[in-house]
């Protein structure tokens, strides 16, 4: 695209009316399916679900709606998302970003729910295991009436609502399934919005709106009412809640309004065309640049590796692992499989085979080799070498015999004796020292981005070693944060990173806090579970009542110092505070763990309120200059 065209595009866009910054990210209803997946289907369904979440975001950002299908057989996931047509694109992005986070409440990974739909007043998101795109009705359709009664002439109010709903059913189908308007007698106005989803058209839309209007007509004398159907959404209110000024004429008298709307639509169409051309040019160029960057990275690494002592031949590592025999497989993560191997010298090693079926494999390899090849700390797994010249990229680490903390608490080592207090304390202290070294003491400031139980391996004496640096990022000096695609594991990712894509060292602090609470309580963090109470909620309530030691893992049978346990849980709560600025640095955490620093009183963790375990969405940014949902369109997110 020429510079003159870009300049014209910038002038047009800058002249448009700014977003009202009212994304209406207010939850109307979350409806989770009763259908659950078998254990054998979980490995197929979860990645496909996450893939549809990735794909649906650019579609919604591009045109306000989208449908995605991913997978085959029992693992197929169907997903659709849509914003209300009166929202600006920025408000749509903000609303949909929160929608994506909250829909996870229907996806507890211990009991996989195969369907969920989330209605916000500004947007809608649904996923399921069958083709539902053209559905107008379902057995879980709802009518939600406001709690507050109208104060005034209720007979007149009901008549106003009925007139508005008649206008909805008359004008909505003629306007591509969308309606905004109001009825007024001078003293009383009732406002309404209705929208059929883009995949529901014709008689399906007509029938859906008629049903919605009929059911919501039972809400008066309530001041507000909503109909939440599979194929459409309808809302009335005594307060004007929709955004487009073109709808400010009374409903039913919209001739001039429709003409203005047609003019605006023509202008928006021209702008959209220019934006589309600009976007295509941008993504084509981005793809070319990315290919060059990957080639440059690997070319530079090849030169470094072949001239260094860390170079292994592919054949050597193939023989060491018994040609990657399944009996030598130690585990599998988001970036590759790990195998036990024995070199010709007799040294036991761990060999990771990087997956080539993801676009991020070059970044993983570059991170592991270039970022951490010179890092040496007793609580970090040492990289011994790599192979880059064979049919696949391999990484060689020191072998850590006792597997992971996750295996001891929840996995294959669970049948053995439970971890004792001193072992848990040693794990927490060592992990803290390893993360603090990455943040403050290494030659490069590094954010790990995936601190979790399965990435903390244990020596025979239970010395912890942090592993898997595939998602690590260098944190330049003088930067307050870096913006990056969303990556990590659900339940461990800091809220400001999930919602706004802002990455700082406090994201690792948050993940460490989750790890501390899980190790001390012996329970998983279920912050994204729809039916299970978050361990944050339990620990926070017990802390507030002065009984926090009741949260300690009962398998230790009281064999722990109560004051020390309470102190550890308080440190965990400090690390998972919703406000990132209030979280301590990892070096301060180490001093707290060693008794060299007092533990201050924590504030409330995210995702819950003080009265219930409900997931509480983040409030919208204060101004339009805040980041939007676009920052989390590319994701590398693993289930728990």
């Amino acid at each position: 695209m020429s510079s003159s065209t870009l300049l014209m595009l910038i002038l047009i866009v800058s002249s448009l009316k700014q977003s009202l910054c009212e994304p209406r990210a207010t939850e109307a209803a979350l409806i989770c399916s009763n259908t659950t997946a078998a254990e054998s289907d979980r490995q197929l369904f979860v990645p496909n679900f996450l893939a549809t979440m990735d794909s649906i975001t650019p579609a919604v950002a591009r045109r306000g709606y989208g449908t995605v299908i991913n997978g085959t057989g029992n693992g197929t996931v169907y997903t659709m998302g849509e914003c209300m047509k009166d929202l600006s694109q920025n408000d749509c992005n903000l609303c949909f970003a929160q929608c994506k986070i909250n829909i996870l409440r229907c996806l507890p990974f211990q009991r996989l729910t195969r369907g969920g739909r989330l209605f916000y007043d500004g947007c809608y998101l649904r996923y399921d295991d069958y083709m539902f795109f053209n559905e107008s009705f379902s057995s879980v359709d709802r009518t939600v009436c406001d709690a507050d009664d109208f104060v005034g002439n209720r007979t007149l109010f009901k008549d106003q609502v009925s007139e508005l709903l008649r206008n909805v059913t008359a004008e909505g189908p003629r306007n591509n399934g969308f309606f905004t308007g109001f009825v007024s007698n001078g003293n009383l106005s009732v406002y309404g919005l209705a929208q059929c989803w883009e995949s529901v058209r014709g008689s399906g839309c007509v029938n859906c709106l008629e049903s919605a209007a009929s059911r919501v007509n039972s809400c008066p004398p309530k001041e507000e009412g909503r109909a939440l159907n599979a194929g459409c959404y309808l809302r009335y209110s005594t307060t004007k809640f929709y955004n487009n000024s073109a709808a400010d004429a009374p409903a039913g008298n919209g001739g001039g309004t429709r003409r203005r709307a047609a003019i605006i639509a023509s202008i928006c169409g021209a702008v959209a065309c220019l934006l589309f051309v600009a976007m295509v040019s941008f993504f084509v160029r981005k793809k070319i640049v990315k290919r060059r960057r990957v080639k440059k990275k690997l070319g530079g690494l090849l030169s470094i590796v072949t001239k260094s002592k860390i170079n292994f031949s592919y054949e050597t590592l193939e023989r060491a692992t018994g040609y990657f025999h399944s009996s030598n497989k130690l585990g599998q993560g988001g970036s590759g499989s790990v195998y036990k191997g024995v070199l010709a010298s007799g040294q036991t090693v761990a060999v990771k085979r990087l997956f080539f079926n993801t676009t991020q494999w070059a970044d993983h390899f570059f991170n592991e080799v270039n970022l951490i090849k010179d890092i040496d700390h007793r609580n970090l797994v040492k990289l011994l070498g790599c192979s880059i010249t064979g049919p696949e990229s391999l990484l060689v680490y020191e072998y850590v015999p006792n597997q992971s903390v996750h295996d001891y608490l929840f996995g294959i080592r669970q049948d053995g004796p439970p971890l004792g207090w001193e072992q848990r304390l040693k794990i927490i202290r060592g992990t803290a020292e390893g993360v603090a070294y990455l943040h403050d003491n290494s030659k490069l400031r590094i954010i790990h981005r995936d601190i979790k139980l399965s990435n903390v391996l244990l020596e025979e004496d239970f010395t912890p070693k942090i592993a898997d640096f595939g998602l690590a990022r260098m944190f330049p000096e003088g930067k307050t944060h870096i913006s990056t695609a969303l990556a990590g594991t659900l339940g461990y990712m800091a809220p400001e990173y999930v919602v706004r894509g802002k990455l700082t060292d406090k994201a690792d602090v948050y993940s460490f806090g989750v790890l501390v609470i899980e190790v001390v309580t012996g329970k998983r963090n279920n912050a994204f579970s729809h039916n299970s109470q978050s361990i944050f909620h339990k620990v926070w309530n017990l802390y507030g009542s002065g009984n926090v030691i009741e949260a300690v893992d009962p398998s230790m049978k009281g064999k722990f110092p109560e004051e020390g346990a309470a102190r550890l849980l308080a440190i965990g709560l400090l690390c998972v505070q919703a406000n990132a600025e209030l979280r301590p640095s990892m070096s301060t955490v180490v001093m707290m763990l060693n008794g060299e620093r007092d533990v201050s009183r924590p504030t409330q963790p995210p995702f819950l309120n003080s009265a219930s375990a409900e997931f509480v969405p983040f409030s919208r940014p204060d101004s339009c200059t805040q980041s939007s949902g676009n920052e989390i369109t590319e994701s590398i997110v693993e289930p728990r």
Side-chain angles (χ1 to χ4, degrees):
M1 178 178 287
S2 67
S3 58
S4 59
T5 306
L6 280 174
L7 178 60
M8 181 178 68
L9 178 62
I10 292 169
L11 290 173
I12 292 173
V13 173
S14 63
S15 67
L16 296 176
K17 184 177 180 180
Q18 293 298 307
S19 166
L20 295 175
C21 270
E22 290 292 344
R24 297 205 301 274
T26 304
E27 183 177 311
L30 173 68
I31 304 171
C32 300
S33 169
N34 290 325
T35 306
T36 57
E39 181 71 27
S40 58
D41 294 338
R42 194 180 302 180
Q43 293 183 352
L44 294 174
F45 194 87
V46 171
N48 289 336
F49 165 81
L50 295 172
T52 65
M53 290 296 107
D54 284 347
S55 301
I56 198 73
T57 304
V60 172
R62 187 166 59 247
R63 57 187 180 180
Y65 69 92
T67 56
V68 176
I69 305 172
N70 200 78
T72 56
N74 290 335
T76 306
V77 181
Y78 301 82
T79 298
M80 72 157 288
E82 186 163 341
C83 289
M84 300 307 167
K85 294 180 180 179
D86 65 309
L87 290 188
S88 69
Q89 190 58 61
N90 188 57
D91 289 344
C92 172
N93 293 339
L94 289 170
C95 184
F96 200 71
Q98 292 200 31
C99 222
K100 282 179 60 179
I101 301 304
N102 272 333
I103 197 70
L104 296 174
R105 290 154 57 196
C106 279
L107 198 76
F109 294 106
Q110 290 76 36
R111 181 179 174 274
L112 183 61
T113 304
R114 295 182 68 101
R117 61 190 82 179
L118 180 56
F119 290 87
Y120 275 7
D121 283 329
C123 55
Y124 173 67
L125 177 61
R126 179 181 177 185
Y127 75 93
D128 226 311
D129 60 354
Y130 71 96
M131 172 63 79
F132 63 85
F133 296 155
N134 62 350
E135 276 188 0
S136 297
F137 308 102
S138 73
S139 60
V140 295
D141 290 348
R142 292 185 183 178
T143 304
V144 180
C145 302
D146 189 55
D148 297 327
D149 287 338
F150 174 74
V151 178
N153 188 329
R154 293 188 176 183
T155 301
L156 176 61
F157 174 64
K158 183 172 177 59
D159 290 343
Q160 298 278 73
V161 172
S162 297
E163 183 181 349
L164 177 74
L165 296 177
R166 285 193 296 271
N167 293 332
V168 168
T169 56
E171 296 184 20
R174 294 201 299 262
N175 192 34
N176 294 321
F178 179 67
F179 170 91
T180 55
F182 68 92
V183 293
S184 176
N185 68 349
N187 297 320
L188 171 64
S189 297
V190 182
Y191 301 85
L193 180 148
Q195 182 167 323
C196 290
W197 310 134
E198 286 291 333
S199 56
V200 179
R201 281 286 176 262
S203 61
C205 176
V206 172
N207 295 335
C208 189
L209 290 179
E210 288 179 349
S211 171
S214 174
R215 289 190 293 109
V216 86
N217 199 31
S218 65
C219 283
K222 301 300 182 183
E223 289 188 337
E224 284 197 349
R226 295 172 179 83
L228 311 174
N229 284 358
C232 61
Y233 165 97
L234 188 153
R235 176 187 177 188
Y236 79 82
S237 175
T238 55
T239 303
K240 181 178 181 292
F241 57 88
Y242 48 79
N243 289 338
N244 55 321
S245 59
D248 285 341
N253 298 305
T257 297
R258 285 192 289 272
R259 284 193 294 274
R260 289 194 297 273
I263 295 170
I264 293 172
S266 299
I267 295 172
C268 289
V271 173
C273 183
L274 287 172
L275 284 172
F276 178 75
V277 172
M279 186 170 60
V280 170
S281 301
F282 170 76
F283 282 113
V284 169
R285 187 175 185 278
K286 182 179 178 182
K287 193 171 184 179
I288 293 172
V289 170
K290 186 172 183 179
R291 285 179 179 174
R292 289 175 180 171
R293 179 174 61 87
V294 170
K295 187 175 181 180
K296 184 178 179 180
K297 270 187 180 181
L298 293 181
L301 276 178
L302 182 61
S303 176
I304 295 171
V305 169
T306 53
K307 297 177 182 178
S308 70
K309 297 179 181 180
I310 67 172
N311 185 29
F312 284 81
S313 71
Y314 182 83
E315 293 74 15
T316 296
L317 299 178
E318 197 176 33
R319 286 193 297 271
T321 58
Y323 296 90
F324 301 107
H325 194 273
S326 59
S327 62
N328 288 323
K329 189 173 182 178
L330 299 175
Q332 181 171 307
S335 58
S337 301
V338 182
Y339 293 80
K340 180 180 179 180
V342 180
L343 301 176
S345 63
Q347 182 183 7
T348 304
V349 296
V351 180
K352 178 190 277 189
R353 303 171 78 184
L354 286 176
F355 292 146
F356 279 84
N357 60 347
T358 67
T359 57
Q360 294 85 18
W361 71 269
D363 287 333
H364 283 295
F365 191 87
F366 182 83
N367 282 349
E368 298 272 8
V369 176
N370 204 48
L371 278 185
I372 70 165
K373 62 184 175 63
D374 296 323
I375 291 177
D376 189 8
H377 188 273
R378 65 182 179 278
N379 297 118
L380 303 176
V381 171
K382 179 68 176 175
L383 179 72
L384 302 177
C386 63
S387 171
I388 197 173
T389 55
E392 56 191 337
S393 294
L394 304 176
L395 297 163
V396 187
Y397 305 93
E398 63 174 315
Y399 176 70
V400 184
N402 253 359
Q403 298 181 305
S404 73
V405 182
H406 179 274
D407 292 329
Y408 268 87
L409 289 177
F410 310 117
I412 58 177
R413 304 294 292 269
Q414 199 173 1
D415 294 336
L419 291 172
W421 175 254
E422 291 302 323
Q423 292 168 331
R424 297 181 195 228
L425 184 59
K426 187 173 186 178
I427 290 167
I428 290 170
R429 281 178 173 166
T431 305
E433 290 172 2
V435 180
Y437 175 83
L438 291 175
H439 289 184
D440 302 321
N441 300 320
S442 59
K443 296 176 182 177
L444 300 172
R445 295 175 65 203
I446 294 173
I447 303 175
H448 187 279
R449 284 210 298 178
D450 205 16
I451 299 295
K452 59 181 178 179
L453 296 178
S454 57
N455 280 343
V456 178
L457 308 182
L458 299 173
E459 291 278 19
E460 291 180 348
D461 64 351
F462 290 91
T463 296
K465 286 182 174 286
I466 299 170
D468 200 341
F469 290 80
L471 301 182
R473 287 292 180 268
M474 186 176 67
F475 196 59
E477 291 287 346
K479 291 282 188 181
T480 59
H481 71 277
I482 55 177
S483 295
T484 177
L486 187 63
T489 303
L490 294 173
Y492 289 96
M493 291 187 289
E496 72 280 357
Y497 179 42
V498 171
V499 175
R500 300 186 181 93
K502 294 176 67 174
L503 180 66
T504 70
D505 54 359
K506 296 301 180 71
D508 278 353
V509 176
Y510 181 90
S511 302
F512 174 78
V514 177
L515 180 145
V516 170
I517 292 173
E518 289 184 326
V519 169
V520 176
T521 63
K523 293 181 175 61
R524 296 173 188 257
N525 168 32
N526 291 324
F528 288 98
S529 173
H530 179 55
N531 297 314
S532 302
Q533 186 185 62
S534 166
I535 188 61
F536 286 176
H537 183 251
K538 180 178 179 181
V539 173
W540 174 252
N541 281 349
L542 290 173
Y543 177 82
S545 64
N547 300 312
V548 72
I549 60 168
E550 293 181 16
V552 176
D553 191 346
S555 71
M556 287 192 285
K557 299 178 180 179
K559 297 178 182 179
F560 59 86
E562 293 187 358
E563 184 178 347
R567 184 181 179 89
L568 273 190
L569 288 172
I571 292 172
L573 288 172
L574 276 176
C575 292
V576 298
Q577 293 176 103
N579 188 338
E581 294 179 0
L582 296 179
R583 296 174 210 149
S585 66
M586 284 308 303
S587 57
T588 301
V589 170
V590 171
M591 289 190 286
M592 289 179 182
L593 291 171
N594 293 332
E596 300 167 3
R597 189 80 172 259
D598 292 335
V599 179
S600 57
R601 187 173 183 82
T603 59
Q604 180 174 294
F607 310 132
L608 54 94
N609 59 40
S610 58
S612 73
E614 293 178 352
F615 188 105
V616 177
F618 294 93
S619 59
R620 64 179 177 84
D622 292 328
S623 73
C624 293
T625 58
Q626 297 286 344
S627 56
S628 72
N630 286 335
E631 293 184 12
I632 60 172
T633 57
E634 290 186 49
S635 303
I636 314 166
V637 182
E638 297 180 36
R640 295 300 311 269

